[in-house]
Amino acid sequence: MAARTASSALKRVDLRDPAALFETHGAEEIRGLERQVRAEIEHKKEELRQMVGERYRDLIEAADTIGQMRRCAEGLVDAVRATDQYCARLRQAGPAAPRPPRTPEPQQASQEKFYSMAAQIKLLLEIPEKIWSSMEASQYLHATQFYLLCCHLHRLLHLDSSGSPHSPVLSRFPILIRQVAAASHFRSTILHESKMLLKCQAVSDQAVAEALCSIMLLEESSPRQALTDFLLARKAAIQKLLNQPHQGVGTKAQICSLVELLATTLNQAHALFYTLPEGQLPDPSLPCGLLFSTLETITGQHPNGKGISVLQEEMKLCSWFRHLPASIVEFQPALRTLAHPISQEYLKDTLQKWIHMCNEDMKSGLTNLLTYVKNIKGLAGIRDAMWELLTNESTNHSWDVICRRLLEKPLLFWEDLTQQLFLSRLQTLMKEGFDSISSSSKELLVSALRELESSANSSTPNKHVHFEHNMSLFLWTESPNDLPPDAAWVNVANRAQFASTGLSMKAHAVSPCVQSFCSALDSKLKVQLDDLLAYLPSDDVSLPKDASPKNSAFDRYADAGTVQEMLQMHSVACIQHITACICAELQSIEEVVHRQLGVLTGVKLHAVLFMARLCQSLGELCPHLKQCILGKSGSSEKPARELRALKKQGKGKAQELMPLQTKWQEVKGLLLQQSVTAYRVWSSAVVQVLVHEFTQSLLSDDAGSVLATATSWDELEIQEETESGSSVTSKIRLPVQPSWNVQSFLFSLCQEVSRAGGHALPKVTVQEALRSCVVQVAAAYEKLAEEKQTKKEGAFPITQNQALQLLYDLRYLSIILTAESEEAKSGRSKPDPRTEKVIDYLEGLIDPFDLDVFTPHLNSNLNRLVQRTSVLFGLVTGTENQFTPRSSTFNSQEPHNILPLATSQIRFGLLPLSMTSTRKARLTSRGAETKAQVVPPALSRADDPMHPGSLFRQLVNEEEDTSTPSLFKLGWLSSMTK
């Protein structure tokens, strides 16, 4: 702005010198300066024109005003001069005027009558002011008395409308015409204000009694009509509170005002209309019959003093007061009929009908008001405010006595009027909250599944999503939160039952995606539960001194059981909705992956495993879900030592806890059932693909396939006795390894189980998968036997060596795949008839004499092979039947590199260990007992460098010389991972 001002000033200076202007500026700039100067000239002209126009109008207005002032002053001067002249003429004509003859003095009676009428007119003129003063002071009974006195004066002076329209008083005193017209509106005004006062709750009993008396005097009604007016006014007040616009006034304040109005109405009904039976002494703390006593005071005749007390006190000092007649001084309002007390039966029936009508209005009104309450904590605040209001000493004082006198039964505001409305609103809020949780959980589930599908096509997949594809990567990836921060000083027994540390999550095969889903669900459940806990009794609840259960208005937490049942019902419905969504997703995926061979490399099974782990972990990773279903009994996590102590206390207490745990067990059973269903979809797809590949390899009949599946056989020397009794040493070759397709099948099966987190798979899933494998493998061998029996052209027949290998493979598969079944563990398992049929067929292809010779050695090789591969295939064989007793191991010719198992369930795959220096040191310390159990390894063909497995033995021998301590020796580390 400053630069622009300087530039314009410079240009104005340049304009004074045209020569300099043309020297310093071009043609275009000069034209611009010309336009600017012309614009400024026009602008100045417009400003001058506006200034002259405004000032001209002001000048004209000022001139007009001065002219009016001059004319007004001249008129005033003329009027003063005329008045002066008139007065002068009066002074001149005054002495000449004849005086009228003096009339005789009136009589004393007529003079007193004149003064009496004058005093009545004076009083009549002052009554309106008195009435308005009483109305402003809310003294409606005084205003009514003045109004009735005014009507009485009208009758005395014949000013009422029933008299002659040409009243002599009105003709002589025209001012009374206006007063009579004004007095006609007082009745309606006093009635309106009195009835408005009846609708107010913050008024005293005396004020209500005076208002009712005013109504009765003005309308000449009975006490029963007054009771009706009172109750109708309070009903209108209730409807006004219920229909009050929800602006600036909270719902809590409205409901509390409503309850206070109801309580005040009953208290005032007792104080105004109830009369004690004859012979019963009055209670000073419980006033009653106030309306009748007030009526008696106003309308009754008192010998000590008569008349209106206000009239006597304010006007007795006036000089004209003594001229008022006795009918005015002693005026008393009167009713046409006697005010008989209301019978208790009529009072009870009327109040009960009124309460019934109000109850209907309150149900609809409170329902609308409670819709503005958006959380359960707000409902609890309103309920507690009602409780404090009704428990207050001033409100609750002698409440039972009043209800018994008026209604012959207690009136329960909370139980009879509002409790069901609060419960209905609470259920609505709870349903909305859990419906929101269900919908958000469904959206979270769909987004997680979509992310799993999109990660397969992404070049840089998310790390956590990548863990869903292969759980073993997550298990063997170190993270800072694997161990709890207090692992070094907190005992395992005092730790939480399900710790949320990294190792604990890995031990239960809970992936990060599952953890995040459960954390999100648990946080939402926590918000809902915290909101609801405000409505339920807390553990540290304490009543005030004046609010003991005897003096309490109602039990705030009487419906805690109902609320807990609602919470349990909606929590279960929420979980059922989530499981239904998971079930629908599983059905759609199952239809897609059915009969698909490339499903193992797709993303559908990853989604199935994610949902299976999710259902398996929801019950543990969502503690607030358990608290929602179990209530406060499930809120506190007890250490493992306390849980074991509770289990040892006996069956009696356990049976008491069973009803509380039933619903929770049902929910856990539902989640586990859904988890098993998802795992079943995964296992069936995996088994189907792997068995299909195995079957194709098994049925391949070309020479290349036979050589590709062949393994090395072991050569044994046996001694046989001839017919002459001499012994002959011969060599036989027997299979010691299964075919490569069998090993590939089992290893692929273990790989898939490991990718899915096999250490945390349910046993029933593994057992079902193994049973399915047994059935489909037996079907594959049956198909092979059928094809060989048909003798197709160009097909190779099964030789004895092939039959031996196939028999060895089938028996090995049957042993491995049936190790996990419960019947196999108990020894009651029956051989599969289909497998036995194929075994009989294969044994029929072997020479019977050779079969008798080979069978013991085949069994020995099978046992040895099962022991050697029990760790490699440990995820499908289980831990119970992986090893034979150690005594049988050392009775054989060679020691086996097998790690002894612990009695408890392991979490990770087992590792083979050899006779290291650790074992040697342990054997030396144990002494002679240990030496007797250990047999030195004998030299055999296993020491041959060319023998299979020699490379592994060399690596073991090299590790024996190392002095690096193993982590498995650190007992404290293993205890931390529990």
Side-chain angles (χ1 to χ4, degrees), residues 821-843:
S821 63
E822 295 295 334
E823 295 179 351
K825 296 175 186 178
S826 60
R828 299 191 306 270
S829 62
K830 296 181 180 180
D832 186 12
R834 301 173 65 182
T835 305
E836 290 297 322
K837 182 180 178 181
V838 177
I839 289 176
D840 293 340
Y841 168 73
L842 294 175
E843 288 179 350

mmCIF file of all heavy atoms in Angstrom, residues 821-843:
data_model
loop_
_atom_site.group_PDB
_atom_site.id
_atom_site.type_symbol
_atom_site.label_atom_id
_atom_site.label_comp_id
_atom_site.label_asym_id
_atom_site.label_seq_id
_atom_site.Cartn_x
_atom_site.Cartn_y
_atom_site.Cartn_z
ATOM 1 N N SER A 821 -3.929 -92.477 16.798
ATOM 2 C CA SER A 821 -5.308 -92.813 17.147
ATOM 3 C C SER A 821 -5.392 -93.297 18.584
ATOM 4 O O SER A 821 -4.459 -93.891 19.120
ATOM 5 C CB SER A 821 -5.847 -93.886 16.198
ATOM 6 O OG SER A 821 -5.103 -95.078 16.338
ATOM 7 N N GLU A 822 -6.536 -93.024 19.207
ATOM 8 C CA GLU A 822 -6.749 -93.428 20.592
ATOM 9 C C GLU A 822 -6.788 -94.942 20.723
ATOM 10 O O GLU A 822 -6.344 -95.511 21.713
ATOM 11 C CB GLU A 822 -8.056 -92.815 21.109
ATOM 12 C CG GLU A 822 -8.045 -91.301 21.180
ATOM 13 C CD GLU A 822 -7.042 -90.800 22.189
ATOM 14 O OE1 GLU A 822 -6.726 -91.546 23.139
ATOM 15 O OE2 GLU A 822 -6.554 -89.662 22.031
ATOM 16 N N GLU A 823 -7.346 -95.616 19.704
ATOM 17 C CA GLU A 823 -7.409 -97.066 19.777
ATOM 18 C C GLU A 823 -6.034 -97.692 19.684
ATOM 19 O O GLU A 823 -5.758 -98.695 20.329
ATOM 20 C CB GLU A 823 -8.308 -97.578 18.651
ATOM 21 C CG GLU A 823 -9.768 -97.139 18.779
ATOM 22 C CD GLU A 823 -10.594 -97.655 17.626
ATOM 23 O OE1 GLU A 823 -9.992 -98.189 16.671
ATOM 24 O OE2 GLU A 823 -11.834 -97.521 17.688
ATOM 25 N N ALA A 824 -5.150 -97.036 18.886
ATOM 26 C CA ALA A 824 -3.790 -97.572 18.783
ATOM 27 C C ALA A 824 -3.048 -97.424 20.094
ATOM 28 O O ALA A 824 -2.271 -98.275 20.494
ATOM 29 C CB ALA A 824 -3.043 -96.856 17.655
ATOM 30 N N LYS A 825 -3.310 -96.306 20.818
ATOM 31 C CA LYS A 825 -2.629 -96.116 22.104
ATOM 32 C C LYS A 825 -3.125 -97.112 23.136
ATOM 33 O O LYS A 825 -2.379 -97.570 23.984
ATOM 34 C CB LYS A 825 -2.866 -94.684 22.594
ATOM 35 C CG LYS A 825 -2.256 -93.631 21.684
ATOM 36 C CD LYS A 825 -2.628 -92.237 22.163
ATOM 37 C CE LYS A 825 -2.149 -91.183 21.185
ATOM 38 N NZ LYS A 825 -2.542 -89.834 21.593
ATOM 39 N N SER A 826 -4.401 -97.406 23.092
ATOM 40 C CA SER A 826 -4.950 -98.325 24.089
ATOM 41 C C SER A 826 -4.744 -99.781 23.712
ATOM 42 O O SER A 826 -5.046 -100.670 24.510
ATOM 43 C CB SER A 826 -6.448 -98.044 24.270
ATOM 44 O OG SER A 826 -7.126 -98.230 23.034
ATOM 45 N N GLY A 827 -4.250 -100.060 22.493
ATOM 46 C CA GLY A 827 -4.013 -101.449 22.101
ATOM 47 C C GLY A 827 -5.253 -102.161 21.609
ATOM 48 O O GLY A 827 -5.199 -103.370 21.357
ATOM 49 N N ARG A 828 -6.367 -101.476 21.436
ATOM 50 C CA ARG A 828 -7.606 -102.113 21.002
ATOM 51 C C ARG A 828 -7.862 -101.891 19.524
ATOM 52 O O ARG A 828 -8.954 -102.164 19.035
ATOM 53 C CB ARG A 828 -8.793 -101.554 21.793
ATOM 54 C CG ARG A 828 -8.713 -101.789 23.271
ATOM 55 C CD ARG A 828 -10.039 -101.437 23.936
ATOM 56 N NE ARG A 828 -10.477 -100.100 23.634
ATOM 57 C CZ ARG A 828 -10.152 -99.036 24.372
ATOM 58 N NH1 ARG A 828 -9.381 -99.170 25.434
ATOM 59 N NH2 ARG A 828 -10.609 -97.833 24.036
ATOM 60 N N SER A 829 -6.860 -101.353 18.808
ATOM 61 C CA SER A 829 -7.086 -101.051 17.402
ATOM 62 C C SER A 829 -7.160 -102.338 16.588
ATOM 63 O O SER A 829 -6.411 -103.285 16.813
ATOM 64 C CB SER A 829 -5.960 -100.158 16.869
ATOM 65 O OG SER A 829 -4.723 -100.833 16.949
ATOM 66 N N LYS A 830 -8.044 -102.343 15.639
ATOM 67 C CA LYS A 830 -8.198 -103.483 14.737
ATOM 68 C C LYS A 830 -7.585 -103.116 13.395
ATOM 69 O O LYS A 830 -7.699 -101.995 12.932
ATOM 70 C CB LYS A 830 -9.683 -103.802 14.550
ATOM 71 C CG LYS A 830 -10.369 -104.249 15.823
ATOM 72 C CD LYS A 830 -11.823 -104.572 15.551
ATOM 73 C CE LYS A 830 -12.526 -105.018 16.844
ATOM 74 N NZ LYS A 830 -13.960 -105.330 16.604
ATOM 75 N N PRO A 831 -6.885 -104.069 12.773
ATOM 76 C CA PRO A 831 -6.281 -103.757 11.479
ATOM 77 C C PRO A 831 -7.345 -103.380 10.454
ATOM 78 O O PRO A 831 -8.459 -103.895 10.478
ATOM 79 C CB PRO A 831 -5.550 -105.034 11.095
ATOM 80 C CG PRO A 831 -5.799 -106.014 12.185
ATOM 81 C CD PRO A 831 -6.685 -105.421 13.207
ATOM 82 N N ASP A 832 -6.960 -102.476 9.586
ATOM 83 C CA ASP A 832 -7.870 -102.058 8.530
ATOM 84 C C ASP A 832 -8.081 -103.240 7.578
ATOM 85 O O ASP A 832 -7.106 -103.795 7.033
ATOM 86 C CB ASP A 832 -7.272 -100.871 7.790
ATOM 87 C CG ASP A 832 -8.248 -100.298 6.772
ATOM 88 O OD1 ASP A 832 -9.424 -100.668 6.817
ATOM 89 O OD2 ASP A 832 -7.800 -99.482 5.944
ATOM 90 N N PRO A 833 -9.320 -103.644 7.358
ATOM 91 C CA PRO A 833 -9.532 -104.823 6.487
ATOM 92 C C PRO A 833 -9.036 -104.590 5.068
ATOM 93 O O PRO A 833 -8.533 -105.520 4.430
ATOM 94 C CB PRO A 833 -11.050 -105.023 6.540
ATOM 95 C CG PRO A 833 -11.607 -103.743 7.023
ATOM 96 C CD PRO A 833 -10.583 -103.143 7.908
ATOM 97 N N ARG A 834 -9.134 -103.349 4.587
ATOM 98 C CA ARG A 834 -8.650 -103.086 3.231
ATOM 99 C C ARG A 834 -7.134 -103.202 3.178
ATOM 100 O O ARG A 834 -6.569 -103.750 2.216
ATOM 101 C CB ARG A 834 -9.103 -101.695 2.802
ATOM 102 C CG ARG A 834 -10.610 -101.525 2.816
ATOM 103 C CD ARG A 834 -11.022 -100.098 2.546
ATOM 104 N NE ARG A 834 -10.654 -99.683 1.219
ATOM 105 C CZ ARG A 834 -10.866 -98.444 0.742
ATOM 106 N NH1 ARG A 834 -11.435 -97.530 1.529
ATOM 107 N NH2 ARG A 834 -10.504 -98.120 -0.485
ATOM 108 N N THR A 835 -6.478 -102.679 4.228
ATOM 109 C CA THR A 835 -5.017 -102.803 4.273
ATOM 110 C C THR A 835 -4.604 -104.263 4.396
ATOM 111 O O THR A 835 -3.643 -104.714 3.737
ATOM 112 C CB THR A 835 -4.469 -101.986 5.451
ATOM 113 O OG1 THR A 835 -4.925 -100.636 5.351
ATOM 114 C CG2 THR A 835 -2.956 -101.993 5.461
ATOM 115 N N GLU A 836 -5.298 -105.015 5.243
ATOM 116 C CA GLU A 836 -4.968 -106.437 5.405
ATOM 117 C C GLU A 836 -5.170 -107.197 4.093
ATOM 118 O O GLU A 836 -4.409 -108.110 3.767
ATOM 119 C CB GLU A 836 -5.849 -107.036 6.508
ATOM 120 C CG GLU A 836 -5.516 -106.533 7.908
ATOM 121 C CD GLU A 836 -4.109 -106.930 8.334
ATOM 122 O OE1 GLU A 836 -3.685 -108.051 8.000
ATOM 123 O OE2 GLU A 836 -3.441 -106.112 8.977
ATOM 124 N N LYS A 837 -6.189 -106.792 3.343
ATOM 125 C CA LYS A 837 -6.434 -107.457 2.068
ATOM 126 C C LYS A 837 -5.281 -107.222 1.093
ATOM 127 O O LYS A 837 -4.811 -108.147 0.399
ATOM 128 C CB LYS A 837 -7.743 -106.946 1.492
ATOM 129 C CG LYS A 837 -8.127 -107.604 0.175
ATOM 130 C CD LYS A 837 -9.460 -107.027 -0.322
ATOM 131 C CE LYS A 837 -9.840 -107.646 -1.673
ATOM 132 N NZ LYS A 837 -11.113 -107.099 -2.195
ATOM 133 N N VAL A 838 -4.782 -105.975 1.034
ATOM 134 C CA VAL A 838 -3.658 -105.670 0.149
ATOM 135 C C VAL A 838 -2.395 -106.371 0.626
ATOM 136 O O VAL A 838 -1.597 -106.877 -0.185
ATOM 137 C CB VAL A 838 -3.463 -104.141 0.068
ATOM 138 C CG1 VAL A 838 -2.254 -103.797 -0.788
ATOM 139 C CG2 VAL A 838 -4.698 -103.469 -0.492
ATOM 140 N N ILE A 839 -2.201 -106.427 1.952
ATOM 141 C CA ILE A 839 -1.015 -107.121 2.491
ATOM 142 C C ILE A 839 -1.067 -108.593 2.119
ATOM 143 O O ILE A 839 -0.041 -109.205 1.726
ATOM 144 C CB ILE A 839 -0.940 -106.915 4.010
ATOM 145 C CG1 ILE A 839 -0.565 -105.447 4.335
ATOM 146 C CG2 ILE A 839 0.079 -107.855 4.637
ATOM 147 C CD1 ILE A 839 -0.558 -105.141 5.806
ATOM 148 N N ASP A 840 -2.235 -109.195 2.221
ATOM 149 C CA ASP A 840 -2.352 -110.610 1.820
ATOM 150 C C ASP A 840 -2.038 -110.794 0.349
ATOM 151 O O ASP A 840 -1.383 -111.776 -0.054
ATOM 152 C CB ASP A 840 -3.764 -111.103 2.116
ATOM 153 C CG ASP A 840 -4.038 -111.159 3.616
ATOM 154 O OD1 ASP A 840 -3.051 -111.187 4.390
ATOM 155 O OD2 ASP A 840 -5.221 -111.152 4.023
ATOM 156 N N TYR A 841 -2.492 -109.837 -0.464
ATOM 157 C CA TYR A 841 -2.192 -109.936 -1.900
ATOM 158 C C TYR A 841 -0.697 -109.838 -2.151
ATOM 159 O O TYR A 841 -0.138 -110.592 -2.950
ATOM 160 C CB TYR A 841 -2.947 -108.829 -2.640
ATOM 161 C CG TYR A 841 -2.490 -108.643 -4.069
ATOM 162 C CD1 TYR A 841 -2.821 -109.577 -5.062
ATOM 163 C CD2 TYR A 841 -1.703 -107.542 -4.429
ATOM 164 C CE1 TYR A 841 -2.390 -109.398 -6.381
ATOM 165 C CE2 TYR A 841 -1.280 -107.367 -5.728
ATOM 166 C CZ TYR A 841 -1.614 -108.292 -6.700
ATOM 167 O OH TYR A 841 -1.178 -108.138 -7.991
ATOM 168 N N LEU A 842 -0.021 -108.875 -1.484
ATOM 169 C CA LEU A 842 1.424 -108.717 -1.688
ATOM 170 C C LEU A 842 2.191 -109.909 -1.148
ATOM 171 O O LEU A 842 3.199 -110.340 -1.739
ATOM 172 C CB LEU A 842 1.897 -107.421 -1.022
ATOM 173 C CG LEU A 842 1.358 -106.119 -1.632
ATOM 174 C CD1 LEU A 842 1.817 -104.928 -0.809
ATOM 175 C CD2 LEU A 842 1.810 -105.962 -3.078
ATOM 176 N N GLU A 843 1.781 -110.461 -0.003
ATOM 177 C CA GLU A 843 2.463 -111.652 0.533
ATOM 178 C C GLU A 843 2.276 -112.858 -0.379
ATOM 179 O O GLU A 843 3.116 -113.760 -0.424
ATOM 180 C CB GLU A 843 1.934 -111.958 1.931
ATOM 181 C CG GLU A 843 2.401 -110.964 2.980
ATOM 182 C CD GLU A 843 1.845 -111.292 4.347
ATOM 183 O OE1 GLU A 843 0.951 -112.170 4.426
ATOM 184 O OE2 GLU A 843 2.286 -110.651 5.340
#
